[in-house]
Amino acid sequence: MADDKRDVRNPILFECAWEVANKVGGIYTVIKTKVPVTVSEFGDRYTLIGPLSYKTAPMEVEAEEPADPHVAASLEAMRAKGVKSLYGRWLIEGAPHVLLFDTGSQYHRIDEWKGDLWNLAGIPTPPNDHETNETIVFGYLVAWFLGEYVARQRHTAVIAHFHEWQAGIAIALSRKRHIDVTTVFTTHATLLGRYLCAGSVDFYNNLQYFDVDHEAGKRGIYHRYCIERSATHCADVFTTVSHITAYEAEHLLKRKPDGVLPNGLNVIKFQAMHEFQNLHSTAKGKINEFVRGHFYGHMDFDLDKTLYMFSAGRYEYRNKGLDMFIESLARLNYRLQTSGSNITVVAFLITPASTHSYTIDSLKGQAVTKQLKDTVTEIQNRIGARLFDFASRSNGDFSKLPSPDELLSEEDKVQLKRRIFALKRNSLPPVTTHNMADDAGDPILTQIRRVKLFNSSSDRVKVVFHPDFLNSNNPVLGMDYEEFVRGCHLGVFPSYYEPWGYTPAECTVMGIPSITTNLSGFGCFMQDMIERPEDEGCYIVDRRMKSAEDSVNQLSDYLYSFATKSRRQRINQRNRVERLSPLLDWKNLGIEYSKARQLALRRAYPDAFYPGADVEEEFDFASGPEKLALSVPASPRFRNAGFATPGDLGTLTEEMQSLQTSDYRGYAWPSHQEDDEDSYPFPLVMKVRSRASSVMSGASTPGGGPFKSLSEGDLRKADAALSQVNGNGTGNGYAPNGKS
């Protein structure tokens, strides 16, 4: 640590991730959507750090000179050693400062840095792993910059927040080099967990039995696993995105997370309830157009009695639960057939796969229906013109109205017949919209053939496999993903491995009911927050405690129950789902990041917070309603039995330091009191957290309100009882769903 005391009241934040201004996967969405609330908290003291991609950076970043002289001097010192970088503003909402390093400019030092990494941390690195090589160069550049910066800027505390293992090298280097920064590491999924779940193993019931080094070595990722594990153990604060990932990380990375930082979204609240319902109706009309084209010649079902369900995401057949979804669709088809239902379900599978081109059938279907629509429009216009002409020449005589034969000419009839005859089709509608690169071996198509969902007339469940991303320029299904989701009735995501799950979260924000599992972070989050999530349109399949057969039956029950709802019931359910969106708003969830940063500062600079330091001078939240308690023991770590529920940073920091919500930023976190909760005719029952004071702090629990609190005496009695049960005064850990 530096001799000069650093100011911890207004720290500087560097947030480092591989996907800063570089879209690769879901972390790009996390970083991008979180920026507005972070900028509102830190302003110009916030800078994002990432790798420089010459393919995307020119379109995402506006270059400018650093306003901070210490940043400018640090970059100039690195530039003198041959480091190329780009500094500027990221062209997204919030316009944060961004610093991108060109890893290629220092690739000639890769062998030197690999040797140093082995000597410092004992991490081996094979020669031919390009991604790991990029990670090492990037990590050394970030650590180099942080070292240069804190050597020049010695008066303000610096927080460095890192996401995922690709950014983790710099954490270990900062610790080994004693760089005066405090670090937070967030893992969004463990490397080993993703690989293990891809195989047919009972992952969650055997977590404690895996030989992690052996399993990582067997899969050729031991060096990556070492990087991830070193970042986990060297960080001042270690967090994950969900309770289920916290449970996984504790066993695979061998450190219990200090907290959970759920992923949020930027929620746009509509002024009137009917507005998002109108968006659903408009988008559904576009899906109807696609269905008419795709199923031309076999349109023997009523679109007004048709439901659209979908599953979307990466093509991870087992991890994403695609196998379970298809099996449940087959059982739903049987139940609808045997019950004599007139409801039709069209199930979309939207997941990118290797393809050659669009199928001729798909393109032809859209073409012939477009020709039919254009012809009908022309005939409509001509009939309208004739009707107007007859009416204008009637001179008030009602008996001179034209007959249908006078309105529809022989030419119109011939033209209409030609278009209708073009709709004849001898083959069944295709299951997929593309020609697959491996049609015979594709897992989705193989299972569809096994369960015989071939889109025949007798099938009440139709399947459309679209192995490509959605966009408005698509010649077959020309809709953006958000618009497509709004037009569907139900999202189905029965994932086996899903550390968070943005797809069901996006459904919730858009007012679309969804099905997820208790093995997804989102599912655990909703189970923790809501008393009966299925009543609110968030169905959760139990894949943790039930067999695969029972889970499939539960999913098919949910699908059948939804398919038999009336239109009015579905509209009411969409209203219920939409009001859950504040739970996922960054304006509520962003405070969890503030708590993690606060905890990191307290661990790195305890003298600024605890007795022995001039607390009033060093850490004075003048605008907050309360001062920090001076009676707190001088230890930055909280080990009392029964208190530290993993993932509940509200417990870790608020009860330890008697903090209020305003302490995290120096002023009150937005409470959104302008939202009129009384406008909903049905009550939303929220679960009360285990530690009452963390709930009563304000926003530690998104959507939390004024509950009846337990007294401190009650809590002390409970802790004493737990200590007697445990004997040694330590807790028993926590369950995978986040409940202790």
Side-chain angles (χ1 to χ4, degrees), residues 273 276-277 307 309 488-491 507-508 510-515 532-539 558-559 561-581 680 682:
M273 183 65 73
F276 83 94
Q277 297 280 9
L307 301 179
M309 302 178 181
C488 289
H489 297 92
L490 180 69
C507 286
T508 302
M510 287 185 262
I512 303 301
S514 62
I515 298 177
R532 293 177 298 277
E534 62 276 3
D535 291 348
E536 308 299 328
C538 182
Y539 302 93
Y558 282 152
L559 295 178
S561 171
F562 185 85
T564 54
K565 287 182 183 294
S566 68
R567 184 169 182 269
R568 171 57 57 187
Q569 288 174 320
R570 294 198 303 272
I571 290 174
N572 287 338
Q573 190 174 60
R574 283 198 292 274
N575 290 337
R576 286 174 173 265
V577 173
E578 197 271 342
R579 69 175 179 155
L580 297 178
S581 57
Y680 296 106
F682 27 78

Side-chain angles (χ1 to χ4, degrees), residues 266-308:
N266 291 327
V267 176
I268 300 174
K269 294 292 288 183
F270 294 101
Q271 296 300 318
M273 183 65 73
H274 65 267
E275 290 184 44
F276 83 94
Q277 297 280 9
N278 292 342
L279 289 174
H280 165 74
S281 180
T282 302
K284 186 178 72 171
K286 292 187 176 182
I287 300 178
N288 285 345
E289 291 300 312
F290 164 79
V291 169
R292 288 190 183 98
H294 191 79
F295 292 93
Y296 82 95
H298 293 272
M299 279 297 298
D300 49 3
F301 52 92
D302 185 355
L303 289 180
D304 288 334
K305 296 180 180 178
T306 299
L307 301 179
Y308 298 135

Side-chain angles (χ1 to χ4, degrees), residues 144-145 159 185 192 205 222 242 263 283 324-325 356 402 444 538 559 562 570 593 610 629 632 643 648 662 676 704:
W144 185 353
F145 168 76
I159 305 169
F185 178 55
L192 192 53
N205 289 322
Y222 180 69
S242 64
N263 292 333
M324 180 175 287
F325 183 33
H356 294 308
I444 289 178
C538 182
L559 295 178
F562 185 85
R570 294 198 303 272
Y593 277 78
Y610 296 99
V632 179
F643 272 60
D648 192 354
S662 58
D676 186 11

